[in-house]
Amino acid sequence: MQTEPKAAKAEKPESKYPLNLPDTPFPMRGDLAKREPKWVDDWTQKKLYHAIRRAAASRPRWVLHDGPPYANNDIHVGHAVNKILKDIVVKSKLMAGFDATYVPGWDCHGMPIEIQIEKKFGKGLPAKEVQAKSRAYAHEQIEKQRRDFMRLGVLGEWENPYLTMNPSNEADEIRALRKIYDAGYVFRGLKPVNWCFDCGSALAEAEVEYQDKTDIAVDVGFAFREHDKLAKAFGLAALPHPTGFIVIWTTTPWTLPANQALNLHPDFDYALVETNDAARPLLVLAKDRVAFCMDRWGLEGKVIAECKGRALELIAFAHPFYDRPSPVYLGEYVTLDTGTGIVHSSPAYGVEDFLSCRAYGMKDADVLTPVLGDGKYAASLAEFGGLSIWDANPKIVEHMASKGTLFKAEKFQHSYMHCWRHRTPVIYRATNQWFAGMDVKPKTGASSLRETALAAVEATQFFPAWGKPRLHAMIANRPDWTLSRQRQWGVPMAFLVHRETGELHPRTSELLEAVAKRVEQGGIEAWQTLEVSELLGSDAKDYVKNPDTLDVWFDSGTTHETVLRGSHPEQSKFPADMYLEGSDQHRGWFHSSLLTSCMINGRAPYNELLTHGFVVDQNGRKMSKSLGNVVAPQKVCDTLGADILRLWVAATDYSGELALSDEILKRVADTYRRMRNTLRFLIANTADFDASKDLVAADQLSELDRYALALTRKLVRECRDAYARYEFHAVTQKIQVFCSEDLGGFYLDVLKDRLYTCGATSPARRSAQTALHHILQTLVRMLAPILSFTCEEIWATLYPGKTVDESSVLFETWDYVVPGEDGNLLETWQTLREVRGSVTKSIESLREQGTVGSSLQANVVISAPEPLAAALLRLGDDLKFVFITSRVEVKPGSELNVEVSPSAHQKCERCWHYRADVGGNAAHPSICGRCISNLYGDGEQRVYA
RNA sequence: CGUCGAUUAGCUCAGUGGAAGAGCACCCGGCCGAUAACCGGGAGGCGCUUGGAUCGAUACCAAGAUCGACGACCA
């Protein structure tokens, strides 16, 4: 790192009496936006990260495992927050005395990239091509994101990150699948998904769009078949007619062959209606829909009995055209907006239908699934086998009309789900999927996954603490994990399944390893080209490759296997010490990683979880393009600098939302300038100080300096504490107050006289410089994790001529000792500072009258009661320096009283004190006795200040 | 709708069951040897609203408001 040339001093007539003025090449203005990129290049070229690792090699390992961002789009400020927080944590652990590592990663598989490829290259590409193009696209995205992350000053193994799409990673992921399969967690079951017949696959929500569609809406009667139960439910001894129907309304007649139940709302009133139609003399309808329905069907009728929906629970009615019962199940989702207040339920073709049937104990094997993947009914379906469901719609209506169960049919236009690729209608369809069972006992006989995971949550430290109940609740309530996806850009669920039975091959475990070996060489593409016979020989004719890929959450969720124990074991350990992500990852990465690790390791892959909120604008609103309140990290770096962004992250309480706006950044930049200037003052006033030679022993320091060091030790304690709790905003706050109140507002202000006017190498000045040296060494260490650029810049200024891989502030630790004992210095000087407050206030009132300008023009007389008077008198003549006045007199008094008057003496040209002895030496008529002594004599003794 | 979190000066944050704090910003002044700096002084807060237990709450409890996170294949 290079420091800027010294700015030319303003031309001023040089006094013939020299002063020890501050001197440094360290510029007052950071000019960060311009200079930071050069430093990043320097760190990269010199391999700073690895130099630090070497320096820390003997320390205990501490691992922050990176949650991989998705390899798509430029980074936004949320990414920046996440990476900066991680960097601050890693660097703080480094300086706390650990060998803290950071291997960044990227999540590469999944739908967003698949969609990008589809947008760029069109639809319907063969899998192999999708995979090749996705791989290339992900690489491009990663390169861009990597540059932006590095620009933030984030240190890590950027030249060797982990990518979930690396063949070795893909192979290890298949091995992870093998482990959970071997443990017995994996099973096959039904699950409703959005299904496109033209794609022949499931659709993600993002692939579904709504368009108008015209269907046949039908009112369909389900005949009574449990008359006694029905009569009883309505409070009747018997039904007045043997014939009757409960009526449903649906816009999807094609689901009726799969009807297996009827849904009523438990709290709605249902009516038994007697009509004037001999073919259908009794009807059951929701009471509030009776008038509407009668009118609609052109019937007359009257309500002869009523009951709540729940009274009809489990009563069975007859399917409208097959000879089987359809029982009433209760469901809160039934509404009275349309139809009859009764909903027909085909569990294979509706989410609510599926869930309610399952809630009533229906097994997967009992769910009727007559619709095949191409949209045709299975050949075995009575009456309609082989027909496309859309062609079957009118035939089903005709059929019901002939059976006398059709009440009405009409065209009906509504908004309906369509495939965004094909613009064709999509249905919900129960499909076979692979699951990891939450309540499955593993083969070892250990606890279920849910129990293990809940115990793991308990064993984990959460920052902030409310993360624990949150994750706990999610684990406690979540359903089984659907591992399978019907996609192309993902790691294959490399199962071989029996052509007929769908059973897994008996040697599945070893087959998975065989596939993993091939994927390790050829990536997931190797699975595409694999012939079943290569693995199974003569068995091949009975088995097919499972076409599913793994949920991308399985990719990132197994990085503790594929990265910590896979691709980067040298840099890692298991479990990791920390995972750190946005609060959404309780449902995401924290969650998936926990489950996979509990299945594989029986414990969480992390010891600590740290969560941050999301970035909002000054008014607490989410950032969005439409609101125009987006702050781009790239832009902040290019204008204010990355250290400003880093300081903003550090200064904000990330446990909630992080507010960001131009004004907030401006305030942060103010804070930065304050810190930078304070640091600069320390640097400039120790420029002629060589710690190896000039350091004054702690017990030889003036008392004020020992007090300043006591304050510094206190600051270190507080900051280390706050860092340990990851409360960086507390660190920032403490340092800011330290710089403003303790240093700028008091210590440094007082010190200027001694620094500038005492002999350059005098004990008095060396004492001050010793304190400044320790303070500087401390501050640069405490700030280094946050203001990475600035602190390296300072370090290079302090130790010029060395490259960053030879000398970096990050080689240092917080064990730096600030010498001295606190004793009662803090209390003693707190009292003095309070008196000083009274003095400055008194001077201020004199100033308002125009009697004095500088406080040095003032003489102060303090009356004080004991023991305060003694405490003041103890400092003797040094007291005036504490108050920055020319003279102080202390008198006993009943209460504290400060009187200020202008000095009657001459101002010393050199030290600006007003003293009686100015001009006392004829050879030097314009300066005082102190200055004579400091320049030509033995110099002042400064015991206290 | 449900679960969770947030709400103290213009901004960022402290804090305590007993008369509201800091830094910065703002206003006024000083200095002119940290100078696109530095020092001093001042002004500024129905502590989101409404109830409740309490002698008494900003702090404890409950409801509401506003904002935010998550809610199943979407990383």
Side-chain angles (χ1 to χ4, degrees):
Chain A
M1 193 185 310
Q2 284 215 319
T3 48
E4 301 285 310
K6 197 197 313 188
K9 288 251 155 113
E11 288 304 322
K12 240 186 112 180
E14 282 288 313
S15 164
K16 58 181 168 176
Y17 302 112
L19 287 162
N20 317 303
L21 293 180
D23 175 29
T24 180
F26 185 82
M28 194 163 73
R29 306 186 62 203
D31 207 6
L32 299 172
K34 206 171 95 195
R35 301 199 293 153
E36 283 172 345
K38 293 180 205 157
W39 295 331
V40 171
D41 289 346
D42 190 46
W43 298 347
T44 309
Q45 279 171 20
K46 301 289 196 319
K47 297 186 180 357
L48 173 60
Y49 173 79
H50 293 282
I52 292 166
R53 292 293 316 285
R54 283 195 298 279
S58 62
R59 307 181 199 164
R61 174 72 54 83
W62 196 91
V63 175
L64 171 72
H65 181 40
D66 191 35
Y70 193 74
N72 191 23
N73 295 335
D74 288 340
I75 68 165
H76 56 254
V77 72
H79 287 107
V81 167
N82 178 257
K83 282 292 199 260
I84 289 172
L85 279 176
K86 283 170 176 166
D87 192 51
I88 293 174
V89 168
V90 169
K91 285 170 178 165
S92 70
K93 287 297 174 186
L94 200 57
M95 304 202 75
F98 292 92
D99 171 25
T101 69
Y102 181 61
V103 177
W106 273 277
D107 200 6
C108 308
H109 299 302
M111 197 186 71
I113 288 180
E114 229 174 301
I115 285 180
Q116 288 297 327
I117 298 308
E118 195 160 274
K119 275 188 188 159
K120 282 170 78 170
F121 300 103
K123 303 165 182 183
L125 293 178
K128 197 175 168 182
E129 211 163 318
V130 170
Q131 288 166 353
K133 291 192 187 310
S134 296
R135 221 173 257 288
Y137 177 81
H139 273 300
E140 286 169 27
Q141 297 295 311
I142 288 166
E143 194 44 43
K144 282 168 70 177
Q145 292 193 357
R146 188 171 72 131
R147 267 203 302 279
D148 286 347
F149 285 145
M150 292 175 74
R151 174 64 186 84
L152 298 173
V154 177
L155 233 43
E157 207 153 317
W158 292 109
E159 77 290 354
N160 178 31
Y162 77 83
L163 274 48
T164 58
M165 68 175 176
N166 281 342
S168 74
N169 194 301
E170 292 171 337
D172 283 346
E173 197 175 323
I174 291 172
R175 295 188 174 104
L177 174 64
R178 179 190 183 187
K179 287 186 183 177
I180 69 170
Y181 166 79
D182 285 346
Y185 290 105
V186 179
F187 69 92
R188 199 166 138 106
L190 279 182
K191 182 184 166 63
V193 296
N194 289 314
W195 189 272
C196 171
F197 300 132
D198 295 289
C199 297
S201 88
L203 253 42
E205 201 170 300
E207 295 170 309
V208 172
E209 58 187 32
Y210 284 80
Q211 290 175 27
D212 278 350
K213 178 175 188 296
T214 301
D215 278 309
I216 307 173
V218 289
D219 297 291
V220 180
F222 286 57
F224 294 175
R225 55 184 282 163
E226 298 186 335
H227 299 74
D228 293 346
K229 282 190 192 170
L230 197 57
K232 197 175 161 203
F234 278 108
L236 301 174
L239 298 177
H241 301 280
T243 309
F245 296 89
I246 191 167
V247 190
I248 64 97
W249 178 81
T250 179
T251 59
T252 53
W254 63 266
T255 59
L256 286 166
N259 170 280
Q260 296 187 266
L262 298 165
N263 292 140
L264 272 61
H265 194 293
D267 299 325
F268 289 171
D269 292 315
Y270 287 87
L272 183 63
V273 181
E274 188 167 29
T275 77
N276 59 348
D277 182 348
R280 43 191 80 160
L282 287 177
L283 301 176
V284 174
L285 301 168
K287 184 186 164 194
D288 290 355
R289 301 300 296 173
V290 170
F292 172 85
C293 291
M294 294 309 223
D295 184 49
R296 178 177 165 83
W297 301 328
L299 297 178
E300 307 267 322
K302 64 173 196 287
V303 175
I304 58 171
E306 292 179 21
C307 69
K308 291 288 182 191
R310 62 167 45 86
L312 299 168
E313 186 175 17
L314 296 179
I315 294 178
F317 294 85
H319 189 279
F321 47 89
Y322 292 138
D323 181 17
R324 64 169 190 251
S326 189
V328 168
Y329 296 157
L330 301 178
E332 303 276 346
Y333 54 88
V334 174
T335 68
L336 295 172
D337 301 342
T338 54
T340 60
I342 299 140
V343 175
H344 112 86
S345 173
S346 43
Y349 305 109
V351 176
E352 285 159 337
D353 312 41
F354 184 83
L355 293 176
S356 73
C357 285
R358 171 168 285 185
Y360 275 87
M362 189 179 288
K363 298 274 193 303
D364 281 357
D366 298 329
V367 173
L368 299 175
T369 57
V371 181
L372 303 178
D374 60 1
K376 294 195 172 109
Y377 286 121
S380 57
L381 181 70
E383 312 289 345
F384 311 107
L387 281 176
S388 131
I389 62 167
W390 308 120
D391 295 341
N393 263 339
K395 294 199 162 41
I396 290 169
V397 174
E398 282 170 31
H399 189 62
M400 292 192 296
S402 72
K403 290 270 184 181
T405 52
L406 183 74
F407 279 58
K408 186 168 176 77
E410 63 180 356
K411 295 247 161 109
F412 184 82
Q413 196 186 33
H414 58 153
S415 178
Y416 188 82
M417 302 187 298
H418 286 69
C419 171
W420 75 316
R421 290 186 189 83
H422 299 96
R423 310 256 159 195
T424 51
V426 168
I427 66 164
Y428 260 107
R429 177 169 177 257
T431 54
N432 274 304
Q433 302 289 344
W434 297 95
F435 295 85
M438 291 301 297
D439 301 300
V440 173
K441 298 262 185 199
K443 287 178 180 167
T444 59
S447 319
S448 72
L449 174 54
R450 197 183 306 275
E451 290 161 345
T452 307
L454 288 176
V457 169
E458 287 312 305
T460 301
Q461 291 287 315
F462 286 77
F463 301 89
W466 49 256
K468 181 177 282 191
R470 184 164 173 188
L471 186 54
H472 186 104
M474 287 177 183
I475 299 290
N477 299 322
R478 70 155 294 148
D480 291 333
W481 182 2
T482 312
L483 294 173
S484 51
R485 291 298 126 90
Q486 289 70 50
R487 312 226 68 92
Q488 311 205 315
W489 179 229
V491 175
M493 290 196 85
F495 290 145
L496 294 169
V497 294
H498 195 276
R499 202 179 284 280
E500 304 288 319
T501 65
E503 293 292 313
L504 290 178
H505 192 278
R507 290 190 290 116
T508 287
S509 181
E510 56 185 275
L511 291 172
L512 282 171
E513 176 55 31
V515 175
K517 282 209 168 64
R518 287 161 195 258
V519 168
E520 202 152 34
Q521 297 305 313
I524 58 174
E525 292 83 344
W527 170 251
Q528 296 298 322
T529 55
L530 179 80
E531 292 295 333
V532 178
S533 57
E534 295 173 43
L535 294 177
L536 293 186
S538 58
D539 271 2
K541 64 181 191 315
D542 293 328
Y543 284 87
V544 293
K545 290 191 284 184
N546 173 34
D548 298 338
T549 58
L550 281 158
D551 180 4
V552 282
W553 283 114
F554 196 82
D555 291 22
S556 56
T558 50
T559 52
H560 53 85
E561 279 284 301
T562 60
V563 178
L564 296 182
R565 285 170 154 164
S567 56
H568 293 71
E570 299 301 317
Q571 302 84 330
S572 310
K573 71 187 181 84
F574 182 93
D577 289 286
M578 174 182 281
Y579 280 27
L580 185 168
E581 302 300 331
S583 59
D584 58 334
Q585 297 302 328
H586 284 97
R587 183 68 73 180
W589 193 52
F590 294 160
H591 194 113
S592 59
S593 298
L594 178 70
L595 293 184
T596 60
S597 181
C598 284
M599 287 189 275
I600 295 172
N601 306 301
R603 62 151 294 153
Y606 36 71
N607 293 324
E608 299 180 339
L609 279 185
L610 191 149
T611 302
H612 62 261
F614 282 77
V615 181
V616 297
D617 71 11
Q618 194 149 2
N619 303 314
R621 274 202 197 67
K622 194 192 303 199
M623 289 202 169
S624 74
K625 277 178 194 156
S626 56
L627 283 174
N629 57 358
V630 176
V631 178
Q634 295 86 353
K635 194 183 158 204
V636 178
C637 288
D638 290 345
T639 52
L640 296 169
D643 260 3
I644 303 299
L645 197 61
R646 295 178 65 98
L647 186 57
W648 167 71
V649 171
T652 305
D653 178 1
Y654 57 74
S655 66
E657 289 100 70
L658 294 87
L660 183 59
S661 68
D662 287 340
E663 193 205 331
I664 290 168
L665 281 171
K666 196 160 167 278
R667 292 288 88 79
V668 172
D670 287 338
T671 304
Y672 174 82
R673 293 207 329 256
R674 174 52 152 193
M675 290 179 178
R676 183 178 178 95
N677 266 315
T678 303
L679 264 345
R680 179 169 181 268
F681 184 87
L682 300 176
I683 296 166
N685 280 289
T686 50
D688 63 336
F689 181 84
D690 181 348
S692 65
K693 300 201 295 265
D694 303 325
L695 219 48
V696 176
D699 59 356
Q700 300 293 307
L701 295 171
S702 79
E703 188 173 305
L704 174 63
D705 299 331
R706 285 189 278 125
Y707 167 63
L709 293 184
L711 284 174
T712 307
R713 283 190 295 273
K714 180 160 164 268
L715 177 73
V716 171
R717 284 195 298 273
E718 291 173 345
C719 287
R720 290 191 68 159
D721 236 43
Y723 269 119
R725 293 192 306 270
Y726 309 112
E727 291 173 5
F728 310 126
H729 66 286
V731 174
T732 316
Q733 195 106 340
K734 304 264 184 226
I735 293 178
Q736 189 187 356
V737 171
F738 181 75
C739 287
S740 292
E741 292 229 287
D742 295 326
L743 295 185
F746 177 63
Y747 181 61
L748 300 182
D749 207 21
V750 171
L751 219 52
K752 284 174 196 167
D753 178 81
R754 186 148 42 109
L755 287 167
Y756 299 166
T757 69
C758 286
T761 61
S762 64
R765 184 160 178 271
R766 290 304 192 206
S767 171
Q769 287 181 309
T770 298
L772 295 187
H773 170 80
H774 290 309
I775 293 169
L776 174 57
Q777 292 287 328
T778 298
L779 280 179
V780 74
R781 282 171 176 77
M782 298 323 299
L783 281 171
I786 297 167
L787 299 179
S788 292
F789 291 98
T790 304
C791 289
E792 268 332 334
E793 182 192 3
I794 291 169
W795 204 254
T797 308
L798 294 178
Y799 306 101
K802 290 195 172 177
T803 54
V804 72
D805 56 324
E806 294 166 348
S807 171
S808 158
V809 66
L810 292 172
F811 294 174
E812 307 299 316
T813 71
W814 293 332
D815 292 329
Y816 179 84
V817 176
V818 177
E821 301 289 333
D822 288 356
N824 51 9
L825 284 168
L826 293 173
E827 298 76 20
T828 304
W829 281 82
Q830 185 52 41
T831 307
L832 290 168
R833 284 174 69 174
E834 278 159 20
V835 175
R836 184 178 186 265
S838 307
V839 171
T840 51
K841 205 157 277 185
S842 300
I843 294 173
E844 184 65 22
S845 64
L846 214 63
R847 187 144 43 207
E848 278 167 12
Q849 299 162 23
T851 318
V852 297
S854 158
S855 61
L856 283 172
Q857 283 176 286
N859 281 342
V860 176
V861 180
I862 302 173
S863 318
E866 296 298 348
L868 185 56
L872 294 168
L873 285 166
R874 188 177 67 88
L875 299 202
D877 214 23
D878 280 359
L879 190 59
K880 64 173 184 281
F881 297 117
V882 177
F883 298 151
I884 318 185
T885 57
S886 285
R887 188 180 137 77
V888 179
E889 190 182 329
V890 179
K891 296 193 301 197
S894 56
E895 58 184 17
L896 181 65
N897 184 272
V898 180
E899 282 179 32
V900 186
S901 58
S903 171
H905 300 301
Q906 287 279 302
K907 177 182 178 182
C908 170
E909 175 197 299
R910 179 167 178 273
C911 73
W912 296 344
H913 277 67
Y914 288 70
R915 293 170 60 94
D917 60 0
V918 173
N921 185 317
H924 307 285
S926 63
I927 62 174
C928 68
R930 285 175 65 218
C931 286
I932 302 285
S933 167
N934 284 329
L935 285 170
Y936 311 113
D938 297 338
E940 287 177 284
Q941 294 295 311
R942 296 289 199 96
V943 177
Y944 298 100

